[in-house]
Each structure stands twice: as C-alpha cells, then as structure tokens.
Amino acid sequence: MRRWAAALGGTALVVAAWGTALVTPDDAEAERPFSVPVEIGDRGEGRNLAVTVTGIRAADAATIDGWDAEGPWLIVDLEAAAVQSDLRATLSHATLSVDGRTYRASERPPDSMFRSELAVGVPRSGSIAFELPEEALGDDVAVLSLGLEADPRLDSLIEVHFEPSTLDRIEEAELMSSGWAR
Amino acid sequence: MTVDALTNRRGWWRRNALPLVGVAVLLPATFGVIAWNEWNEYFSGQATQPVVAPPGGSVEFEGAVWGPAEIEVVDPGAEFEAPAGSQVVTAAVPVDPGAHAVTCHTPTLRETTGAQREWSDATFDIGWSPAPDELGSCALTGTDPFTITVAFLVPLDATGPFAVELISPNALPRFARLLVEP
C-alpha cells in the first residue's frame, strides 16, 4: 500500500472515531424519559399512564377535610388511569420545574393523588399540591411532569407546559377529594 | 495498478480465507450467545411461559389441578357503586391441590387479545365481600380442594376474551393461564 494511502486511511479512521464519539449519546441521554406533551384539558397517554390535567390553581393556602396550610400553593386537578396493567401503577412521579429548579409534589395534604394507586381504564380524579417559594409562582415558564415511577428513566412522562404568572391567585383553595372520576 | 498487484490483493483474501470465515461465524455467534444469555436470565424471573388451560377446561400445574375458571359480572352490593363506564367482574378458580399444598399469588384477569390489559384484585377497593369459604389466593390452604374467588373492576370497553392468570412463585417462569369461555 502506498504511504499516502495509509496516512489518508489512518486519518479517516481517526476522524470517524471522533465523529462517532461526538454523536454517541451519554448515559443520561440514552435513559431519558419519553415525554408526552399535553395541554390543560387534553388527555395524554404514555406507556401505562393516561392523564388529563383538568385545572391548575394558585393559592395562598390549601385545605382539604379540615386540614389547611399556608403556602403559596400550586394545585393541579387531574384525572389519571393506568393503561395496560394496574400492578405497581401508582402516580409516584409528580414534579414541577421552574427556572432550573425542580419541586416534588407535597406529601402534606392528607388526601392527594400523589402516590395513589391507579386502575386500568377506569380514571380516578383528585388533586396534587406543590408548596412553592413566592418567586416560582411569578415565573413565566413551568413544566409539570407526571409519571408512574419516582425514577422516571426510560418511562413515559406526561408533561404540561404553562405560565404560573398568568394564574389567578386566590386566598384559599380546596383540594379535590380523590375518588373515581365518574 | 499492475497485474502483479491485483494478484497480490486477491492472494491476501485467499491466504486468510480460514480466519475470515472464522470471524464471520464467531462475531454474530458471540452477539447471539450474549443476548440469549442475558434475556434468558431476565425472563427466568418473570412470568413468561404460560401453562394454558383451554376455555372451560382445567390444567395440571405444580402438581395441582386448576380450573375451569369462570367469570361473572356481579352487582357489588350497596357498599359500592361501580363508576360510570365500568363493571365489577368476579373470577372463580377451583383448585385441587393433590398430594401437597400449593402456593400462589392472588390471580389477575387479562384480556387475551388487543393490548392484553391486565387487572389485579380490587376486592378491597370496591368493598365486595366474598363468601366465607371463598379465598383470594392459595395462602394457608391444605390439600383439600378449594376455590379462589377475586373481584376486578373492569371498564365496559373490555369485552374479552379473558384469561385468569395465576403465579406460583416457585414455578417461575412458568405460570397458569386459564382461558375463560366467552
């Protein structure tokens, strides 16, 4: 083989290796959740989770069943069902991302859809509450993510993009009792 | 390119024919063996090999005779009103353990076509009370024949055909799939 041909071949292989390394996704990218973007009021369906966010409310205080707490609170009303199997189907992932920060749904309300069990094909309705710092409610961009596993990797996430700053802030909001939607 | 060079090139392939054939065989074989090994290990811990009873028939599994499985749409009683778009279905599976007591989890109900949706026991959720001699699983049973009865909350759009599935932990990856007469 001619010397220039060997040099050219070698260079081509190095460039190809560099290109391959460049386009290879890293671990986090390879295990990224499958996002299902939906609007408020629309039904989003993932692998084993179907969710309709029916409303998002902002309030200074939240109440349910005689329990109440000062916030500020962001309250998400929703209907959710499992799609394929109800084994281990709980709404265990509920986060709100605002301005680079991620907030998990509150465990404080005595009744919430957060971590509740879902049934296949028969939706349940209720609320999820997020206790937020004041500045988060003034932001223009927020992403609500809902999924079945606390670790959302490689599973569907139903995601709603909305503007917290456009919500009407009320003094006190009552969470919906969890129950069958219909 | 001279005639000599061409002969030389063909000569290289010919000289290395045996190792080349070896690479061509071993490379796919390596991938095949690794993949088979990994999947086999994964599937051996999951219910992946059904032992099927025909509709209206029974099957021998883990030394016991299971079936025939029957399902029935029932009125759950005053305690519970099925949500709109759903109904309560009970499944009964007679079991003859034979010489030794058997172990099994609470059975699930599965659609055998389409999305193959799967429902688990909802007896507690819907407040349905089985008769005193009806059991939810094989727990604490001896060698006398008994019947497992479980209630499921199933959407009206699930029209079957259905199967009742029973997992015996020691038998995995085999499990009993009892087809139900439509």
Side-chain angles (χ1 to χ4, degrees):
Chain A
M1 196 182 280
R2 300 251 167 99
R3 184 165 294 187
W4 65 264
L8 192 69
T11 311
L13 285 174
V14 169
V15 170
W18 176 71
T20 307
L22 209 66
V23 298
T24 305
D26 59 21
D27 285 354
E29 191 67 20
E31 296 177 339
R32 207 157 49 95
F34 296 86
S35 169
V36 181
V38 285
E39 301 289 326
I40 295 171
D42 289 345
R43 182 175 181 273
E45 185 174 313
R47 180 185 62 86
N48 192 27
L49 172 67
V51 174
T52 308
V53 172
T54 50
I56 299 181
R57 299 175 280 160
D60 296 330
T63 74
I64 182 168
D65 294 342
W67 171 91
D68 65 278
E70 294 294 318
W73 293 91
L74 187 103
I75 294 161
V76 177
D77 302 320
L78 52 85
E79 289 183 4
V83 174
Q84 217 274 326
S85 168
D86 53 16
L87 296 173
R88 293 179 296 281
T90 55
L91 196 59
S92 294
H93 181 94
T95 61
L96 188 76
S97 299
V98 186
D99 195 22
R101 291 178 176 170
T102 300
Y103 306 90
R104 198 182 60 189
S106 174
E107 297 161 344
R108 293 179 65 196
D111 179 6
S112 155
M113 283 289 281
F114 183 43
R115 294 186 180 149
S116 68
E117 292 186 5
L118 304 178
V120 178
V122 189
R124 294 180 67 83
S125 63
S127 301
I128 287 177
F130 294 90
E131 194 171 7
L132 301 172
E134 194 61 56
E135 65 265 25
L137 280 175
D139 215 288
D140 290 333
V141 184
V143 182
L144 168 73
S145 303
L146 301 166
L148 290 180
E149 305 281 341
D151 176 354
R153 288 179 298 174
L154 286 175
D155 200 359
S156 317
L157 277 185
I158 314 294
E159 297 196 317
V160 180
H161 294 246
F162 66 99
E163 292 180 43
S165 58
T166 61
L167 298 172
D168 289 331
R169 178 88 165 259
I170 53 175
E171 255 179 48
E172 189 178 89
E174 188 171 3
L175 274 70
M176 287 169 68
S177 299
S178 302
W180 300 109
R182 290 170 198 112
Chain B
M1 202 174 278
T2 64
V3 176
D4 268 358
L6 270 177
T7 321
N8 264 342
R9 183 178 289 179
R10 207 174 293 138
W12 185 89
W13 289 100
R14 193 158 292 168
R15 271 202 313 281
N16 295 292
L18 200 62
L20 284 169
V21 169
V23 168
V25 172
L26 289 177
L27 208 63
T30 307
F31 281 103
V33 167
I34 291 173
W36 185 84
N37 205 31
E38 293 291 320
W39 281 112
N40 194 43
E41 198 177 304
Y42 173 74
F43 282 135
S44 64
Q46 314 266 331
T48 46
Q49 297 175 16
V51 178
V52 180
S58 57
V59 69
E60 197 177 330
F61 171 65
E62 285 293 282
V65 178
W66 311 73
E70 284 176 3
I71 63 171
E72 192 183 358
V73 177
V74 297
D75 177 1
E79 301 273 307
F80 179 78
E81 191 184 343
S86 72
Q87 60 188 6
V88 175
V89 171
T90 59
V93 180
V95 184
D96 186 349
H100 303 283
V102 287
T103 55
C104 73
H105 293 320
T106 305
T108 59
L109 182 73
R110 187 186 290 281
E111 268 179 328
T112 57
T113 55
Q116 307 209 336
R117 292 183 291 178
E118 180 188 27
W119 291 270
S120 56
D121 179 22
T123 306
F124 179 75
D125 300 326
I126 62 184
W128 178 72
S129 338
D133 60 338
E134 292 175 330
L135 305 168
S137 74
C138 309
L140 307 174
T141 54
T143 53
D144 291 338
F146 60 95
T147 298
I148 300 174
T149 309
V150 179
F152 305 97
L153 185 68
V154 176
L156 290 176
D157 62 10
T159 50
F162 293 106
V164 179
E165 295 187 346
L166 282 141
I167 288 175
S168 180
N170 301 329
L172 286 174
R174 299 189 318 134
F175 67 101
R177 173 177 287 165
L178 312 173
L179 300 178
V180 176
E181 266 183 337

